Amino acid sequence: MGVILKPIDIVDDITQEEFREKYLIPRKPVVIKNMAKKWPAYQKWTMDYVKEVVGDVTVPLYDSAKADPSAPINTPTTEMKFADYIDLIQREPTDLRIFFFDPIKRANKLLEDYISPSDLMGGFLDKFPSMFFGGKGSVTFLHYDIDLAHIFHTHFNGRKHVLLFEYKWKDRLYKLPYATYALEDFDISNPDFEKFPALDGVEGIECFLEHGDTLFMPTGWWHWMKYLDGSFSLSLRAWDKSWAVKANSLWNLTVQRNFDNIMKGQFKKKYMDWKEKKAVERANYALKKGLPKR
């Protein structure tokens, strides 16, 4: 059976009413082809342009290695001058990525080049845009966003492969306790079902983003991303109207994350071994019980 992947819905343009009825309210992903074509960024955001605008700043870089058990989540692997990194990802494959680059702090001029899609929904966190850069072959591990925002993710200067899974599949995806990411010992795009049997039968959505494509990812959706070319993306975030979702977001950002970091610092590998063991136990239980129910 394997991982069951359906193609994502793709639209050229969409009205607010259609977006709300078909995607926002049911929390279903969609790719919007023409949204970014209305932005100055669609023409302006070349590699050379962002290199010029960002300037001579040093940025943290992340690789695809399994996380250090004693380090807080999202601890960088190394650092590099931004211009040197852009040259690197244009020149050759690399698993190094820039994660959560902040254009407000690093390159305020970039804020002039895009428009938050407030014509589709409200609640945008305009003070928290973020950019992501990756070399050909680099991978963003399977996770869902800790703040539980809706995300409009627009890609530039290349292609990106994306797999998406509803939150309800969390146990079958080997979610680690007190975390928003999965066990890092499998490749969800080509899993070993003998070692990770709970993945067999998991249902998801697959899409391929090209220059200017905007992916709407509703709150809580798991996502795995692979850069097929050296390229970058812009994520714009918006709150869900549900107070329950907002409360869960606050819990994740404060209590859960701080507790997890404290436990990592105190118990290091012993704590991570326990987390991985629990993830496997929960996955096997969900598989045995046929969870989640369709």
Side-chain angles (χ1 to χ4, degrees):
M1 184 161 45
V3 176
I4 303 166
L5 297 174
K6 297 180 180 179
I8 198 166
D9 285 2
I10 300 174
V11 298
D12 290 328
D13 298 288
I14 192 167
T15 65
Q16 181 185 71
E17 182 180 9
E18 185 180 13
F19 175 73
R20 284 179 53 82
E21 290 182 0
K22 290 187 176 181
Y23 303 106
L24 180 60
I25 294 174
R27 295 180 180 172
K28 181 180 178 182
V30 63
V31 169
I32 306 171
K33 299 290 288 186
N34 290 340
M35 177 182 293
K37 290 181 180 179
K38 305 177 182 74
W39 300 353
Y42 185 75
Q43 298 292 339
K44 292 170 67 175
W45 282 14
T46 64
M47 293 292 195
D48 288 340
Y49 179 76
V50 294
K51 186 164 64 171
E52 175 188 344
V53 171
V54 173
D56 189 30
V57 301
T58 299
V59 291
L61 300 176
Y62 304 80
D63 64 14
S64 301
K66 189 173 180 178
D68 181 349
S70 63
I73 186 67
N74 300 333
T75 300
T77 303
T78 185
E79 60 182 28
M80 185 182 294
K81 293 290 186 182
F82 182 82
D84 292 338
Y85 174 74
I86 294 299
D87 289 341
L88 172 65
I89 65 174
Q90 289 187 95
R91 184 176 64 245
E92 61 191 63
T94 175
D95 70 343
L96 293 175
R97 297 175 289 113
I98 297 177
F99 183 74
F100 271 111
F101 179 89
D102 185 349
I104 290 180
K105 294 180 180 178
R106 301 298 188 101
N108 202 266
K109 188 177 179 181
L110 294 175
L111 305 180
E112 304 170 3
D113 296 336
Y114 66 83
I115 304 166
S116 292
S118 54
D119 57 328
L120 296 182
M121 65 174 293
F124 276 92
L125 305 171
D126 291 330
K127 293 183 179 180
F128 301 99
S130 50
M131 299 180 72
F132 303 83
F133 296 75
K136 180 179 180 179
S138 61
V139 172
T140 302
F141 58 80
L142 184 62
H143 71 287
Y144 64 95
D145 283 27
I146 193 169
D147 63 355
L148 299 176
H150 297 295
I151 303 168
F152 289 81
H153 187 78
T154 304
H155 198 59
F156 297 92
N157 285 275
R159 299 166 298 143
K160 181 183 275 188
H161 183 198
V162 183
L163 302 181
L164 300 157
F165 303 91
E166 280 188 81
Y167 181 77
K168 69 179 183 179
W169 291 100
K170 63 184 187 302
D171 290 336
R172 293 277 294 274
L173 292 172
Y174 295 85
K175 177 187 178 298
L176 293 172
Y178 305 110
T180 58
Y181 58 98
L183 193 67
E184 296 177 66
D185 296 327
F186 61 85
D187 176 3
I188 190 60
S189 68
N190 185 29
D192 183 335
F193 296 111
E194 290 189 6
K195 290 184 178 179
F196 304 99
L199 297 174
D200 196 9
V202 168
E203 299 172 7
I205 294 175
E206 181 175 39
C207 73
F208 293 86
L209 299 178
E210 299 180 344
H211 178 79
D213 288 349
T214 299
L215 166 64
F216 169 66
M217 286 188 291
T219 174
W221 274 73
W222 289 80
H223 44 283
W224 169 95
M225 298 182 174
K226 182 175 183 178
Y227 290 83
L228 303 181
D229 305 290
S231 48
F232 61 93
S233 304
L234 169 73
S235 281
L236 304 175
R237 319 175 82 77
W239 281 121
D240 188 85
K241 287 187 175 181
S242 166
W243 283 104
V245 171
K246 292 175 182 177
N248 197 353
S249 169
L250 184 62
W251 173 270
N252 289 347
L253 290 165
T254 55
V255 179
Q256 178 176 280
R257 182 161 64 181
N258 289 332
F259 172 79
D260 196 47
N261 286 338
I262 290 170
M263 293 296 286
K264 284 180 182 178
Q266 288 291 321
F267 299 104
K268 299 180 173 62
K269 187 175 184 299
K270 183 177 180 180
Y271 174 60
M272 287 303 296
D273 287 346
W274 173 82
K275 288 177 63 161
E276 293 184 358
K277 180 181 178 182
K278 292 301 292 185
V280 171
E281 289 176 356
R282 291 174 179 175
N284 290 338
Y285 178 83
L287 177 63
K288 181 180 178 180
K289 295 294 184 178
L291 301 174
K293 299 298 183 182
R294 272 48 170 193

